[in-house]
Amino acid sequence: MNRKSPVRRRPGLHAVAAGLVLAVGLGVSSQVPAQASVHASAKAPTAVTQSVAAPKSVTGTHGHAVTRVADFYGAYIDAKGDYAGPDVALAKNLRKHYLTADFAKRLAAWEKKNGADGVLRAQNVPARWTVTDNGSMGHSHEVKVTLTFGSGATAQKVKLFVLVERYNRIAAIETTSAH
């Protein structure tokens, strides 16, 4: 190595790293027999403690219709069903951002006639929801939203078909598919 080289060896650093690896290795190897004897004498764990749930994740793609509808429904349901109280202003702003102006007017008329939230097609907030791709239709895309109200034997599911125009704005929410 020449003196002008910016990379220099540090023999002391390698010795410290090797010492840490050795210390950790010895610590683990000395703990294994002790842990094994403790577990051997303990009762077998029940099925409930043995099952470990995998971490949940959500994946999205910028500009994709399914992601857009999932983002809207997730935020909208959170705004409407907030435990501290519904955030009416947020729900209104989400509708303004995600819905076309024409559809927003038609939705308001539907809500007045039916006495329910037009986005959810209900008077209450769902416990769960699923958003699934339902295919493209010309310059638009249809996304299926399944809302689950309640739980257990009394759970009710509502399927909605959301039409997303080519500029990623929601142009319709229907109870039947356009396909």
Side-chain angles (χ1 to χ4, degrees):
M1 173 182 288
N2 79 36
R3 290 181 173 205
K4 293 181 182 178
S5 172
V7 178
R8 298 196 178 168
R9 292 186 181 251
R10 293 184 173 173
L13 185 60
H14 291 292
V16 169
L20 284 173
V21 169
L22 182 60
V24 169
L26 288 175
V28 170
S29 65
S30 65
Q31 291 176 2
V32 171
Q35 289 175 349
S37 65
V38 169
H39 289 298
S41 64
K43 287 185 177 180
T46 63
V48 173
T49 58
Q50 283 181 343
S51 67
V52 176
K56 293 184 180 188
S57 64
V58 176
T59 302
T61 304
H62 176 68
H64 191 268
V66 175
T67 301
R68 186 110 173 131
V69 171
D71 290 345
F72 170 64
Y73 268 87
Y76 189 80
I77 290 167
D78 284 349
K80 296 289 281 189
D82 191 3
Y83 292 113
D87 190 336
V88 177
L90 177 58
K92 184 178 177 181
N93 286 330
L94 287 166
R95 288 169 76 135
K96 185 176 180 181
H97 179 76
Y98 283 95
L99 308 181
T100 64
D102 179 55
F103 177 57
K105 289 177 189 172
R106 289 182 291 143
L107 192 61
W110 185 96
E111 291 172 330
K112 187 175 182 179
K113 178 182 175 186
N114 293 284
D117 184 299
V119 171
L120 303 174
R121 294 293 200 258
Q123 294 176 336
N124 56 352
V125 179
R128 291 186 312 277
W129 62 96
T130 305
V131 178
T132 310
D133 192 348
N134 208 41
S136 61
M137 300 172 37
H139 293 294
S140 299
H141 205 93
E142 189 175 70
V143 178
K144 181 171 70 172
V145 176
T146 305
L147 304 174
T148 304
F149 295 89
S151 62
T154 61
Q156 294 181 347
K157 291 188 179 196
V158 173
K159 289 186 181 167
L160 302 174
F161 297 90
V162 178
L163 187 64
V164 179
E165 67 175 13
R166 66 179 166 179
Y167 300 110
N168 286 324
R169 303 289 295 261
I170 296 173
I173 299 172
E174 302 292 338
T175 55
T176 57
S177 174
H179 282 289

